[in-house]
Amino acid sequence: SASFPLGGPQLATSYVNFSGKTAGSTQTRRDSLNISSVSDLGVGKYRVNFATNYPNNDYIVVASSGENDDGNDNDNSTVSVRLMDVDHFDLYVECVDDGYEDRDFVMAAVFITP
């Protein structure tokens, strides 16, 4: 059996899965925990707002993005986390060839020591 620190595995304290191609200033969330909204800051740039603030900005964010297509789109994208604060963080999605881009799926999970 696996041995975990603090008596067990740690679960995400916040997470979000949203459409990066939603029209308007607020992105459509497919699923989320402790996320009040996702704001559109421009092409490929989003602000993820917490429903309940964290005590500090020393949390960890793991993020990724993807396309809902048949594989004809060979874009390789990176997701960087920026401007981490107690009430939000920003995600910047960038195609390695074409600059910032909106993606069908943008996902992030947040972890902090309980």
Side-chain angles (χ1 to χ4, degrees), residues 34-95:
N34 191 40
I35 303 298
S36 63
S37 64
V38 178
S39 306
D40 188 347
L41 302 177
V43 175
K45 299 177 182 180
Y46 313 96
R47 174 156 293 161
V48 179
N49 301 292
F50 296 124
T52 301
N53 290 359
Y54 281 98
N56 58 57
N57 65 343
D58 295 333
Y59 49 84
I60 296 166
V61 179
V62 179
S64 64
S65 71
E67 283 296 298
N68 191 18
D69 64 17
D70 61 5
N72 292 328
D73 179 359
N74 292 323
D75 285 353
N76 290 314
S77 292
T78 62
V79 180
S80 61
V81 180
R82 301 185 184 191
L83 302 172
M84 294 169 57
D85 207 338
V86 296
D87 63 343
H88 73 271
F89 61 91
D90 292 353
L91 296 175
Y92 284 32
V93 180
E94 187 171 6
C95 173

Side-chain angles (χ1 to χ4, degrees), residues 5-18:
L6 302 175
Q10 300 302 303
L11 304 176
T13 52
S14 298
Y15 62 79
V16 66
N17 175 335
F18 66 91

